[in-house]
């Protein structure tokens, strides 16, 4: 009710419809109309999602200015704040080590 108060006769916003579909299609796995502990765990920590790979792809996508799928030293330094704030670089600690690829 904090995000959307359904007024009588009023149409639901598109985002509410989308969220209902997401719930019924992907979240409510046993189709009982509510989420149990296992469904919440699957939602928060999906088995088929590689967090490290997703974060690495995000860093490359955001920093690769020439879109050659390779990061130059300059591209990394120009986006240092993104790398220092990333779990993929151990919050910047890994950037201080000597790397041949850099």
């Amino acid at each position: 009710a904090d995000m959307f108060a359904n007024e009588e006769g009023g149409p639901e916003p598109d985002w509410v419809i989308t969220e209902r579909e997401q719930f019924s299609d992907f979240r409510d796995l046993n189709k009982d109309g509510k989420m149990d502990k296992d469904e919440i765990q699957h939602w928060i920590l999906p088995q088929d999602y590689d967090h490290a790979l997703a974060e690495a792809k995000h860093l490359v996508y955001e920093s690769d200015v020439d879109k050659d799928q390779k990061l130059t030293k300059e591209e990394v330094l120009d986006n240092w704040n993104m790398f220092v704030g990333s779990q993929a670089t151990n919050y910047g600690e890994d950037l201080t080590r000597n790397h041949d690829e850099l």
Side-chain angles (χ1 to χ4, degrees):
D2 290 339
M3 296 173 58
F4 170 67
N6 191 4
E7 298 174 13
E8 279 190 43
E12 288 186 331
D14 290 342
W15 69 268
V16 172
I17 295 168
T18 300
E19 288 300 318
R20 286 186 194 282
E21 290 171 356
Q22 287 289 316
F23 175 79
S24 64
D25 293 346
F26 302 107
R27 305 284 182 248
D28 186 17
L29 300 175
N30 63 6
K31 307 299 181 199
D32 67 352
K34 55 190 173 192
M35 290 179 71
D36 60 27
K37 182 181 174 183
D38 291 333
E39 290 167 331
I40 293 170
Q41 183 176 359
H42 184 266
W43 174 39
I44 294 172
L45 298 169
Q47 301 281 328
D48 56 348
Y49 184 75
D50 186 339
H51 293 279
L53 180 61
E55 179 65 9
K57 285 182 177 184
H58 167 72
L59 290 171
V60 171
Y61 178 81
E62 293 295 332
S63 303
D64 186 17
V65 176
D66 60 8
K67 303 301 179 198
D68 65 353
Q69 295 295 305
K70 298 175 188 171
L71 295 179
T72 64
K73 182 177 181 179
E74 290 75 25
E75 288 172 327
V76 172
L77 292 175
D78 287 346
N79 293 285
W80 67 270
N81 56 338
M82 190 175 315
F83 286 88
V84 171
S86 173
Q87 188 176 13
T89 65
N90 199 16
Y91 300 101
E93 188 175 316
D94 293 342
L95 298 176
T96 62
R97 297 184 183 145
N98 190 11
H99 289 278
D100 291 339
E101 67 274 14
L102 297 177

